[in-house]
Amino acid sequence: MTTTHRRIRVLVAKPGLDGHDRGARVIVSAFRDAGFEVVYTGLHQTPEAIVEAALQEDADVVALSILSGAHMTLLPRVKALLDEAGLDDVLVTGGGIIPDEDAEALHAAGIGRLFGPGTRTGDAVAYIRTWFASSRRAAT
Amino acid sequence: MAAVAGRAEAPEREMARSLAEGCGAGERAALARAISVVEDRRPGFRELLARVAANGRRAHRTGITGPPGAGKSTLAAALARVWRDAGEEVGIVAVDPTSPYSGGALLGDRVRMAPLRLDRGVFIRSMATRGAGGGLAEAVHDVIDLMEGTGFGRILLETVGVGQTELGVAEAADTVVVVLTPESGDEVQAMKAGLAEVADIFVVNKADRPEARALVRRLRDAVGLGRGRGGGTPGAGARAKEDGAPGWNPPVLTAVATAGDGIIALADAVEDHRRSLAESGVQEARRIARAEARIRAEVRAVLEAHLGRVAGGGGFAEAARMVAGGRETVYEAAQRLLAGGGILSRDLAP
Ligand code: B12
Ligand SMILES: Nc1nc2c(ncn2[C@@H]2O[C@H](COP(=O)(O)OP(=O)(O)O)[C@@H](O)[C@H]2O)c(=O)[nH]1
Ligand SMILES: [Mg+2]
């Protein structure tokens, strides 16, 4: 039978030594309830492991939760490795404790929107839906 | 119209050819994309499958099933490690249920497979059931075929042993490992769900818990009692005894997956089972049975879709209203739909 079932696939990961996983769990549930297929990798992921998982899972979005303060190194590293693997059409987004000026600098470096404390999960869901609708990946 | 269709077809064929080529060369990115094409039933997926099948590679398929939290993912990762140490390449498909309300899914099995995450000889793919009647996604078979065609000689299929999945696992796997734990109710739940019937191998995991030995004893009794029963009520290990390799009696093993205990014995048991299937010819019989089940499922799906499109009077929805309103019986409606769809001539209707 030929019914096409395109679902948005999101990989949610906690990079580095950061053990704060409440936010990530909230986001994972919200994404599932929004109809996304969410692959959760758990804590203590290296950028290399995150990118390998994104490749195997053919993720549309890599969503990272970072409350450790290491976002300025981790996010660009993940983005660079994705580009290197030919996955430059994957959205890198995330959230946690990330000052606005850092978020702006990261955005200029090709990272998507970042969501801080008090985020309404619906905003992150809407952002991903909107991104996906106009992305190259939606066409495939 | 024909010209437009011809033009629209070209990129799909090109996609199928290049992805199949990538899989043939063992490229992980190509396999990952091919799986999505097949899982989503995107245009060209049939040609892609045909081309990858043409690689003619064969894998041994081990299913791991059992109640949620039994330790299936942890055990799968440990088993994969053993096979990797023996130089084999391992493809893992981990299936979790789709939420019937949102259509979304939480695919969390990777959390327990962390030790494998940078090993290039392992490929892990998480899949949602996508509402395939409470059972396995139909595409699971296709995804396994793709991994096989990419050169992974060992396939591990992890599914949650609830709903109808045990039938799907039995169909998809050459060797079925049922994982149980001493926790309250596991055993009863497994018997009720028919899980115990499809086991080729039982593993009592979390054997670090004191109640494990009692469960092992009860399972060994259950497997022993069912022996040679033939046509009676199927019991523990019924499939293994009735259409498994002759003389194969499902062993009851113990493991502590988190500590890696009992994993080598499990790998040995899987190997013994694989060998006994191959030597008895039952392996081939299982492949044939699997192929038949898949053909039947596809024929049924195509027929239903066809009837939904062409049957007179608005198809199933209209027929349902007629039957619910008492204007037609279920049997009359079915006959009418089949005749309207050109599948059954009115005169030939039984
Ligand atoms: C609870 C907590 C803990 C708990 C964590 C429990 C757990 N399993 O998660 C415990 C007590 C273990 C802990 C420990 C530590 N903590 Co603490 N902790 C907090 C606290 C109070 C709340 C975090 C929380 O759970 N919030 C609730 C969740 C739901 O919100 P959230 O994580 O922010 O997520 C929301 C958004 O940020 C966003 N979001 C987050 N991730 C993502 C991802 C995506 C993809 C998207 C779209 C959105 C998104 O959406 C979520 C929902 O709204 C914060 C302070 C604060 N107010 O944020 C400090 C805080 C994060 N901790 C801090 C620190 C320093 C630590 C410790 C190093 C030691 C310490 N001083 O306590 C240890 C380190 C532990 C470790 N191994 O990493 C600092 C971090 C400083 C920094 N980054 O510069 C903070 C900011 C406190 C502070 N002001 O100093 N902590
Ligand atoms: N005590 C103990 N815990 C285990 C063992 N194997 C797995 N676990 C834990 O059981 C939980 C569920 O394991 P998981 O592999 O995710 O189970 P699954 O849902 O069947 O895939 C995790 O917290 C594991 O760490 C074991 O042998 N002993
Ligand atoms: Mg699991």
Side-chain angles (χ1 to χ4, degrees):
Chain A
M1 193 164 66
T2 318
T3 325
T4 307
H5 311 269
R6 187 69 169 99
R7 293 273 159 73
I8 301 179
R9 287 175 70 84
V10 185
L11 186 93
V12 177
K14 290 277 317 169
L17 297 175
D18 181 9
H20 297 90
D21 64 353
R22 284 193 199 161
R25 287 173 185 279
V26 167
I27 288 296
V28 160
S29 308
F31 284 178
R32 181 201 52 205
D33 294 344
F36 299 166
E37 288 185 351
V38 191
V39 179
Y40 182 54
T41 65
L43 294 168
H44 307 317
Q45 304 291 306
T46 61
E48 287 76 9
I50 290 167
V51 170
E52 181 59 31
L55 181 142
Q56 292 177 11
E57 299 288 356
D58 195 21
D60 300 305
V61 179
V62 171
L64 304 177
S65 177
I66 309 178
L67 284 78
S68 65
H71 48 272
M72 291 308 275
T73 47
L74 290 170
L75 284 164
R77 178 84 184 126
V78 167
K79 174 71 181 145
L81 288 170
L82 281 170
D83 289 353
E84 222 172 89
L87 300 173
D88 54 332
D89 58 354
V90 170
L91 172 67
V92 181
T93 178
I97 309 287
I98 300 171
D100 288 348
E101 60 271 27
D102 289 357
E104 273 162 41
L106 289 166
H107 191 62
I111 307 293
R113 241 179 95 182
L114 300 172
F115 298 83
T119 294
R120 285 190 327 209
T121 54
D123 293 346
V125 166
Y127 169 67
I128 288 176
R129 283 215 182 102
T130 306
W131 170 83
F132 182 75
S134 62
S135 85
R136 184 146 47 99
R137 299 187 64 92
T140 56
Chain B
M1 267 318 271
V4 173
R7 243 183 292 139
E9 210 175 79
E12 296 157 26
R13 310 205 61 179
E14 166 57 23
M15 175 278 298
R17 186 153 32 76
S18 83
L19 287 183
E21 240 172 64
C23 289
E27 284 167 22
R28 316 157 67 70
L31 172 60
R33 183 55 59 88
I35 290 174
S36 299
V37 168
V38 160
E39 195 183 9
D40 293 344
R41 294 341 209 183
R42 293 181 203 165
F45 83 94
R46 291 190 185 86
E47 178 167 353
L48 172 58
L49 285 167
R51 284 180 178 274
V52 173
N55 290 337
R57 293 175 175 144
R58 278 266 196 259
H60 179 259
R61 305 165 178 219
T62 303
I64 299 193
T65 188
K72 298 178 295 296
S73 299
T74 315
L75 207 64
L79 195 51
R81 197 61 273 144
V82 172
W83 286 333
R84 288 296 296 133
D85 290 344
E88 299 192 70
E89 312 224 307
V90 188
I92 303 178
V93 184
V95 183
D96 282 306
T98 292
S99 154
Y101 307 105
S102 70
L106 168 47
L107 311 172
D109 297 309
R110 272 183 179 271
V111 175
R112 308 279 165 223
M113 299 186 184
L116 305 172
R117 58 197 167 189
L118 283 177
D119 184 337
R120 300 270 153 164
V122 178
F123 189 103
I124 305 170
R125 183 63 172 240
S126 312
M127 277 184 83
T129 51
R130 296 194 180 177
L136 278 185
E138 180 51 34
V140 163
H141 297 284
D142 299 330
V143 170
I144 293 175
D145 287 351
L146 289 174
M147 287 184 170
E148 177 181 67
T150 302
F152 292 92
R154 288 278 180 185
I155 307 290
L156 267 170
L157 168 64
E158 179 193 338
T159 71
V160 176
V162 292
Q164 298 298 310
T165 51
E166 77 282 358
L167 300 174
V169 179
E171 215 169 84
D174 302 313
T175 301
V176 177
V177 177
V178 171
V179 184
L180 301 175
T181 64
E183 265 126 45
S184 55
D186 254 29
E187 182 198 359
V188 179
Q189 196 189 328
M191 296 292 175
K192 255 198 281 183
L195 263 183
E197 291 173 26
V198 300
D200 296 306
I201 297 168
F202 286 98
V203 175
V204 173
N205 190 36
K206 309 199 186 182
D208 48 330
R209 304 250 167 100
E211 310 81 10
R213 291 185 40 198
L215 174 57
V216 170
R217 216 175 315 115
R218 283 200 304 278
L219 278 173
R220 287 199 175 131
D221 282 350
V223 175
L225 280 177
R227 185 173 0 206
R229 204 195 264 176
T233 322
R239 177 177 93 131
K241 286 176 227 154
E242 276 157 32
D243 51 283
W248 182 264
N249 212 28
V252 180
L253 309 177
T254 60
V256 183
T258 39
D261 292 351
I263 309 302
I264 294 192
L266 172 58
D268 286 344
V270 171
E271 195 50 26
D272 286 347
H273 185 252
R274 189 192 65 77
R275 203 174 311 120
S276 85
L277 282 179
E279 285 167 3
S280 61
V282 171
Q283 171 70 71
E284 196 50 29
R286 280 194 179 182
R287 277 198 191 112
I288 291 168
R290 180 188 307 148
E292 178 168 341
R294 293 176 66 186
I295 296 166
R296 284 181 185 279
E298 173 67 7
V299 166
R300 225 175 293 128
V302 171
L303 276 181
E304 243 180 68
H306 168 73
L307 284 176
R309 272 194 311 273
V310 307
F316 285 100
E318 172 62 17
R321 277 191 290 274
M322 300 268 292
V323 172
R327 278 166 282 154
E328 204 178 29
T329 68
V330 167
Y331 306 98
E332 285 162 349
Q335 293 295 334
R336 189 170 52 74
L337 287 174
L338 287 165
I343 289 157
L344 204 64
S345 114
R346 265 170 225 285
D347 310 333
L348 287 178

